[in-house]
Amino acid sequence: MTSIGTGYDLTNSVFSPDGRNFQVEYAVKAVENGGTSIGIRCKDGVVLACEKVITSKLLKAGANKRIATIDRHMGAVSSGLVPDGRHFTSRAREEAASWRKVYKSPITTADLAGRMGGYMQAYTLYSSVRPFGVTAIVAGWDSELELPVDGQVGSGPSIGSGGKAKDKKYGGPGLYMIEPSGIYWGYYGAATGKGRQTAKAEMEKLNLAEGKMSLLDGVKEAAKIIYVAHADNKDKEFELEMTWISNLEGPTKGRHQEVPKELLEDAEKLAKKALDGDDDDEEETKDENKPAEADKMEE
Amino acid sequence: MNHLPQSWGRPRDDIYGAYDHSYLQSNGPNQHTQSPIVTGTSVIALKFKDGVVIAADNLASYGSLARFTDVKRLRSFADSSIVGFGGDVSDMQYLDRLLSSLDTREAYCSSGHSLNAQNLHTYLAKVFYKRRSEFSPLWNQVLVAGLDAESKPFLASADLLGTTFSAPSLATGFGAHLAQPLLRKVAPDEDAVAKLSEEEAVQAVKESMKVLFYRDARSLDKYSIAVVTKAGIRLKEDEKLENQSWAFADKIRGYGTQVN
């Protein structure tokens, strides 16, 4: 940022002569210092995980959750300024609820990401506000079955024209990451926060684009990635927080829930083990490591 | 002909007299729901030793017309409670959405515990009472079936006035007259409930549904039945009354074609 001090970074809604909005770039800096958050899109669900940095030993363990439920089928996690993340959550909940009020059906992950992208972008436009100091990852499962309209009492005529394309697949996992600029993309694996580079490198190895990763494997991988990524932030204590959303047949029946304690502890144990054994493994497998296939990751 | 546009399309005063505006008052007090429009009839429910069985038919009537015949009047909440709705169907839809949003809001805090049937009943009764106090009642009587805080079977009623009560067996609408005595015979008190098995309870409810279909002209032979226990909800929404016998019908005297 060679242009610091040129006066173009003093307010929002002002471009620098080379076409940059410095306030947004500073917001990205705030995100880069936050705890790592990741999301993995699996074939039968989505996992969210975050590295919650413990700021004080006086805080109750396991309290002050950082991954929030947006709607029954959707969750979000953010890295950066925690209060900005809270506001993001509450706005996302409002959006999801108002969608239900209007359309009488749950909002899709893509639609929520769109709404929130627009909302965050609006905070880059005006001099009276500052951009969000968070990058948020939104994960959801859009029902693969035809859902009844909220409050629907009957199924209507059993004969008629219908209107559904045959053999078309509906619903599925959704994973989106929204940045302070308001930009958002759909991902197979998303990472943000301090350890994002490491986390991205790890996720690229998983070949998520093939769509073969199961949710249970995803949980284990997510735990591992958070532990690996924590190496960048080693001097601080942290708690691993994980939530998931499975398909309708899966363990959460399409709902966003915390990963059960036993499963979380198992995944954590595996992650620690992988981390300990990492130094020896890496030497042996170095030559075999093929360049990982691009996972349609941004950057 | 009157050439003034404001009188076009209206009955002519010289033939029909001046228009009676008393039917369309723009001043005067605000009036909300005066009566239900599309209605569901009885809901019946019976406690047994491990849970509650609840049933309602799949009909929504428009006056005396059997208008909608696949209406689900048993609504599940948080996979642990069932609310059975009698009365206005659109108000039922409103309440169903309200409960759905309540469920979503409950999920925001991941405290791990969810609202049980007792909490749900209290909430519904407060909603009813608030709305009747606003002179805009939700025209329903509901039965809430599930488990209470101690995981014991819970069954209670709330209605459009905000009135609440609880009993081993409950019924709304016509069922309060026709089914309630039959259910009371099976489970007169809590002691009897503690001895009642699920099969017996389901049997008693099914028999009562049959009697209601015989006698209630706003009922249907297709119904929904749910059993709520600690294990969860088993909800069947496409049941049909079995082993009907209309042998009693030709002995009925006093109305219809058999005047005496």
Side-chain angles (χ1 to χ4, degrees):
Chain A
M1 293 206 184
T2 47
S3 317
I4 291 178
T6 50
Y8 297 107
D9 59 348
L10 295 180
T11 181
N12 229 342
S13 83
V14 168
F15 277 121
S16 79
D18 48 347
R20 293 154 64 183
N21 185 342
F22 285 115
Q23 283 299 317
V24 170
E25 292 183 22
Y26 297 159
V28 173
K29 286 278 167 214
V31 173
E32 288 171 1
N33 291 323
T36 313
S37 305
I38 62 163
I40 299 179
R41 187 178 180 272
C42 308
K43 63 177 178 192
D44 52 348
V46 201
V47 196
L48 286 176
C50 89
E51 168 208 26
K52 189 170 77 186
V53 179
I54 306 297
T55 50
S56 163
K57 285 202 162 71
L58 297 174
L59 289 169
K60 186 183 168 194
N64 307 309
K65 296 290 183 209
R66 289 282 301 279
I67 310 181
T69 301
I70 301 303
D71 200 335
R72 274 172 287 178
H73 63 299
M74 202 174 292
V77 62
S78 59
S79 293
L81 306 181
V82 177
D84 285 25
R86 294 245 173 84
H87 179 67
F88 177 92
T89 301
S90 89
R91 177 67 188 200
R93 284 171 176 170
E94 282 171 24
E95 289 290 353
S98 88
W99 182 282
R100 273 189 191 266
K101 218 171 192 108
V102 173
Y103 299 109
K104 310 283 184 249
S105 72
I107 191 169
T108 63
T109 321
D111 282 314
L112 186 96
R115 293 278 183 100
M116 292 313 293
Y119 187 67
M120 275 169 84
Q121 193 269 342
Y123 279 73
T124 69
L125 294 172
Y126 307 99
S127 57
S128 55
V129 292
R130 62 168 176 80
F132 274 72
V134 289
T135 289
I137 300 173
V138 176
W141 181 271
D142 304 329
S143 172
E144 64 269 41
L145 300 177
E146 193 182 0
L147 284 179
V149 173
D150 282 357
Q152 174 183 319
V153 292
S155 45
S158 52
I159 50 166
S161 57
K164 243 185 304 167
K166 236 188 179 174
D167 301 325
K168 194 187 165 208
K169 268 189 75 182
Y170 292 87
L175 182 68
Y176 291 80
M177 186 160 77
I178 310 160
E179 293 168 42
S181 62
I183 200 169
Y184 64 97
W185 302 107
Y187 290 88
Y188 292 111
T192 180
K194 202 163 212 166
R196 69 198 173 284
Q197 296 298 359
T198 320
K200 281 179 189 176
E202 288 296 313
M203 279 194 284
E204 281 176 24
K205 291 180 199 161
L206 299 176
N207 293 328
L208 295 167
E210 287 173 9
K212 286 181 184 152
M213 171 80 66
S214 76
L215 186 57
L216 284 168
D217 289 340
V219 166
K220 287 175 194 150
E221 292 298 341
K224 216 185 287 175
I225 290 166
I226 290 291
Y227 268 85
V228 172
H230 179 65
D232 304 349
N233 205 6
K234 225 163 193 172
D235 49 324
K236 285 179 184 138
E237 290 278 297
F238 83 105
E239 265 174 31
L240 171 66
E241 206 180 303
M242 275 205 286
T243 65
W244 61 352
I245 311 147
S246 77
N247 60 12
L248 297 182
E249 278 91 56
T252 82
K253 296 186 174 63
R255 291 180 77 118
H256 176 248
Q257 285 170 350
E258 278 171 36
V259 171
K261 212 173 158 223
E262 309 84 61
L263 197 58
L264 184 80
E265 281 165 2
D266 278 357
E268 238 173 333
K269 225 177 274 170
L270 281 174
K272 280 179 191 156
K273 214 164 130 195
L275 208 61
D276 290 341
D278 231 20
D279 306 326
D280 328 328
D281 281 3
E282 234 161 84
E283 296 300 313
E284 289 160 30
T285 56
K286 211 164 207 174
D287 302 337
E288 297 163 39
N289 267 349
K290 289 174 226 149
E293 259 180 59
D295 271 349
K296 210 181 180 182
M297 305 280 304
E298 199 224 358
E299 292 178 15
Chain B
M1 183 194 144
N2 190 338
H3 65 279
L4 294 172
Q6 57 264 42
S7 57
W8 292 354
R10 311 185 90 188
R12 286 167 57 180
D13 287 355
D14 54 335
I15 296 175
Y16 298 102
Y19 187 75
D20 180 5
H21 285 277
S22 67
Y23 290 106
L24 267 177
Q25 278 185 333
S26 53
N27 52 0
N30 244 342
Q31 292 193 334
H32 299 290
T33 316
Q34 303 292 302
S35 61
I37 309 295
V38 177
T39 56
T41 180
S42 326
V43 185
I44 62 174
L46 174 61
K47 282 204 270 192
F48 60 94
K49 63 177 184 332
D50 308 313
V52 191
V53 51
I54 182 168
D57 68 23
N58 293 352
L59 180 70
S61 308
Y62 180 67
S64 61
L65 173 72
R67 181 64 184 83
F68 304 104
T69 53
D70 66 341
V71 170
K72 275 92 185 157
R73 296 197 290 126
L74 299 184
R75 320 296 294 187
S76 64
F77 178 82
D79 293 324
S80 61
S81 311
I82 290 274
V83 187
F85 286 86
D88 195 88
V89 169
S90 52
D91 285 349
M92 169 180 99
Q93 286 183 299
Y94 167 79
L95 282 168
D96 192 41
R97 289 185 189 128
L98 187 71
L99 293 182
S100 166
S101 76
L102 177 70
D103 185 39
T104 307
R105 277 179 277 138
E106 279 299 305
Y108 289 166
C109 53
S110 50
S111 54
H113 52 78
S114 62
L115 293 179
N116 61 36
Q118 198 171 19
N119 304 141
L120 184 62
H121 175 255
T122 308
Y123 178 81
L124 279 170
K126 301 257 170 196
V127 172
F128 279 127
Y129 181 69
K130 176 178 181 283
R131 290 295 295 266
R132 82 105 215 199
S133 301
E134 287 169 356
F135 288 95
S136 178
L138 293 164
W139 216 285
N140 298 103
Q141 187 178 0
V142 302
L143 299 185
V144 183
L147 302 168
D148 64 11
E150 277 99 50
S151 290
K152 291 211 185 79
F154 175 86
L155 173 63
S157 148
D159 69 8
L160 68 165
L161 302 173
T163 319
T164 62
F165 50 90
S166 183
S169 64
L170 285 173
T172 75
F174 225 174
H177 305 95
L178 292 172
Q180 188 69 269
L182 302 171
L183 297 173
R184 272 191 198 141
K185 232 184 265 174
V186 180
D189 49 27
E190 289 294 338
D191 291 340
V193 168
K195 288 182 202 122
L196 196 63
S197 73
E198 181 184 324
E199 291 73 36
E200 288 170 316
V202 169
Q203 190 54 36
V205 166
K206 284 187 172 174
E207 277 304 308
S208 304
M209 287 306 287
K210 203 154 55 175
V211 171
L212 282 171
F213 181 59
Y214 290 153
R215 300 286 181 175
D216 180 358
R218 307 283 168 271
S219 70
L220 197 68
D221 53 350
K222 282 193 299 176
Y223 66 100
S224 307
I225 186 164
V227 178
V228 197
T229 58
K230 263 181 224 167
I233 294 172
R234 268 169 296 137
L235 173 61
K236 288 181 280 185
E237 291 183 317
D238 201 19
E239 295 290 285
K240 203 147 170 49
L241 288 182
E242 284 160 358
N243 304 321
Q244 289 178 47
S245 166
W246 288 85
F248 68 92
D250 60 349
K251 292 186 203 86
I252 295 176
R253 288 286 179 275
Y255 61 92
T257 48
Q258 293 88 23
V259 192
N260 41 46

